[in-house]
């Protein structure tokens, strides 16, 4: 069955420290993966997608098909990065986006 | 430009009551979705629609019905509410083929079933 796993419910780091939010997926087809973010009192919004291979707000994520992972990374965390982060999987030939359970990132001053 | 608007934002129901959540989008998006968000479980897809007049089941459709009579509106109905349906409900829309996976979300509707 298709599944997205985010093993950490909470990740707490100090400002300036590197951050890695883990995401693993289970899917036999050709996956498309996304990271969504929800800041306090804001709507859930798209952060980045693996197809674009872009860096948004200093975050990057690389799709590793061998390890079925799509970890989100940032070399130096900022306090404004504190938010809820969701990894999501889009199954091919489908319009369904499946989300993981989310990881709350807390960046301490 | 309002984007995706959900009404109501808060509602308290008694077990067995019915209600409808309304989602409206003004972006002319083809696809619309209803998710529920529960602590520790993330967002789970309830139902979705790929166009006016069409709907499909998601991961957790039981106990819910939906309708998409107009392209801009996607209604989520609970015919007989149960405490297990206490949750925050999110509606989302997506432009179409050119932006697959890029969802625009509403602010959420918090539903409590007593």
């Amino acid at each position: 069955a298709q599944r997205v796993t985010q093993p950490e419910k909470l990740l707490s780091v100090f400002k300036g420290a590197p951050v890695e939010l883990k995401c693993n997926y289970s899917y036999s087809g050709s996956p498309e993966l996304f990271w969504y973010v929800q800041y306090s009192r804001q709507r859930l919004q798209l952060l980045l997608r693996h197809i674009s291979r872009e860096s948004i707000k200093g975050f990057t994520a690389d799709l590793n098909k061998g390890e079925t992972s799509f970890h989100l990374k940032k070399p130096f965390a900022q306090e404004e990065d504190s938010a809820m982060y969701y990894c999501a999987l889009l199954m091919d030939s489908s319009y369904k986006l499946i989300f993981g359970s989310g990881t709350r990132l807390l960046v301490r001053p | 430009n309002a984007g995706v608007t959900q009404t109501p934002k808060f509602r308290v129901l008694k077990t067995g009551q019915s209600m409808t959540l309304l989602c409206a989008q003004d972006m002319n998006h083809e696809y619309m979705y209803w998710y529920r968000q529960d602590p520790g479980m993330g967002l789970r897809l309830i139902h979705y629609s790929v166009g006016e007049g069409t709907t499909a089941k998601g991961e957790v459709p039981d106990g819910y019905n939906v309708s998409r009579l107009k392209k801009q509106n996607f209604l989520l109905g609970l015919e007989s509410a149960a405490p297990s349906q206490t949750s925050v409900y999110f509606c989302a829309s997506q432009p179409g083929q050119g932006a697959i996976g890029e969802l625009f979300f509403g602010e959420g509707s918090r539903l409590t079933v007593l």
Side-chain angles (χ1 to χ4, degrees):
Chain A
Q2 303 83 12
R3 182 177 295 175
V4 177
T5 303
Q6 294 180 251
E8 303 139 328
K9 283 189 170 55
L10 172 66
L11 184 63
S12 180
V13 301
F14 286 103
K15 177 182 172 181
V19 167
E20 181 178 70
L21 298 163
K22 292 185 175 8
C23 172
N24 288 90
Y25 67 91
S26 172
Y27 181 54
S28 57
S30 179
E32 288 188 47
L33 285 139
F34 305 79
W35 277 99
Y36 276 77
V37 61
Q38 188 173 27
Y39 301 103
S40 179
R41 297 192 183 90
Q42 292 189 29
R43 303 181 186 212
L44 192 61
Q45 58 188 286
L46 178 66
L47 179 63
L48 54 81
R49 67 194 86 192
H50 92 267
I51 280 182
S52 301
R53 301 187 65 83
E54 56 200 345
S55 173
I56 303 292
K57 298 184 179 182
F59 284 99
T60 58
D62 290 317
L63 177 61
N64 185 325
K65 291 188 177 180
E67 295 183 357
T68 59
S69 68
F70 188 55
H71 303 327
L72 183 68
K73 300 177 184 179
K74 185 170 183 176
F76 307 103
Q78 302 300 314
E79 289 181 67
E80 55 265 31
D81 295 329
S82 295
M84 193 74 178
Y85 290 81
Y86 291 95
C87 182
L89 164 70
L90 183 74
M91 296 172 282
D92 54 5
S93 303
S94 164
Y95 306 105
K96 294 194 292 185
L97 197 63
I98 305 298
F99 286 82
S101 56
T103 298
R104 181 168 298 282
L105 174 64
L106 179 60
V107 182
R108 300 178 183 276
Chain B
N1 194 346
V4 179
T5 304
Q6 295 180 227
T7 52
K9 289 188 171 41
F10 301 94
R11 185 74 188 268
V12 178
L13 288 176
K14 293 182 180 178
T15 297
Q17 287 185 314
S18 63
M19 75 158 294
T20 300
L21 293 174
L22 169 64
C23 177
Q25 53 96 2
D26 60 4
M27 298 174 283
N28 200 35
H29 286 175
E30 288 294 329
Y31 311 136
M32 296 186 74
Y33 306 80
W34 276 107
Y35 287 89
R36 58 178 289 174
Q37 183 185 47
D38 301 291
M41 304 190 76
L43 285 95
R44 291 181 292 168
L45 182 62
I46 304 171
H47 286 280
Y48 65 104
S49 168
V50 299
E52 182 179 312
T54 71
T55 63
K57 294 180 180 181
E59 300 171 274
V60 288
D62 294 342
Y64 305 95
N65 56 74
V66 288
S67 64
R68 184 107 181 262
L69 298 179
K70 293 183 178 180
K71 185 177 183 178
Q72 63 267 36
N73 295 338
F74 195 30
L75 279 64
L76 178 71
L78 286 71
E79 288 189 352
S80 179
S84 61
Q85 294 177 304
T86 293
S87 187
V88 180
Y89 292 85
F90 286 95
C91 177
S93 68
Q94 180 180 251
Q97 289 285 351
I100 295 292
E102 183 176 352
L103 270 58
F104 292 77
F105 281 85
E107 293 180 301
S109 298
R110 185 175 294 275
L111 174 65
T112 302
V113 183
L114 303 175

